Amino acid sequence: MSGAESFVPTPLLLSDSARKRLQALIAEENNPELKLRVYVTGGGCSGFQYGFDFAEDVTEDDTLIPFGEVSLVVDPLSYQYLVGSTVDFEEGLAGARFRIQNPNATTTCGCGASFMV
């Protein structure tokens, strides 16, 4: 290629366990329009905190990331902190939850719900 090459950041990834859990939740709600909204807010013990919510609507500014029959939605402010991250779902002694594996986080808290970049 000649000239300047543009770099397109890797969007969020979705693990198989998270995809299966999301499919099950959508089936339980009987609403194929549901998407998992992933966002970042200020706070938490390390500076930023991850959040998850279901959304039917996608705004013009949102990024929609489809994974077959399920999709993730990310607002533009959160996207910059989540580029290259993987949304995972884990079940264990502490319960079941969605979690983020974020390669950009320089510090994370013990619960894995809070981070610093």
Side-chain angles (χ1 to χ4, degrees):
M1 260 186 221
S2 61
E5 293 182 25
S6 63
F7 173 73
V8 177
T10 304
L12 279 167
L13 303 173
L14 188 67
S15 74
D16 285 342
S17 61
R19 184 181 48 78
K20 288 175 186 171
R21 181 61 180 155
L22 191 50
Q23 286 173 320
L25 290 170
I26 290 169
E28 282 176 27
E29 292 294 321
N30 196 24
N31 185 351
E33 297 303 313
L34 286 179
K35 299 154 189 58
L36 183 65
R37 181 173 291 281
V38 183
Y39 59 92
V40 172
T41 59
C45 46
S46 294
F48 293 103
Q49 190 168 327
Y50 301 115
F52 301 95
D53 196 4
F54 279 109
E56 285 186 84
D57 300 321
V58 178
T59 68
E60 184 178 296
D61 292 344
D62 286 336
T63 299
L64 178 66
I65 308 167
F67 293 93
E69 61 284 343
V70 299
S71 298
L72 299 178
V73 178
V74 184
D75 65 85
L77 183 61
S78 298
Y79 188 88
Q80 64 186 325
Y81 297 109
L82 295 169
V83 170
S85 297
T86 300
V87 177
D88 194 14
F89 181 78
E90 65 180 13
E91 294 182 82
L93 295 175
R97 65 183 177 144
F98 286 102
R99 63 184 292 266
I100 300 283
Q101 297 171 351
N102 188 340
N104 305 310
T106 57
T107 305
T108 58
C109 66
C111 67
S114 179
F115 71 103
M116 182 181 296
V117 287

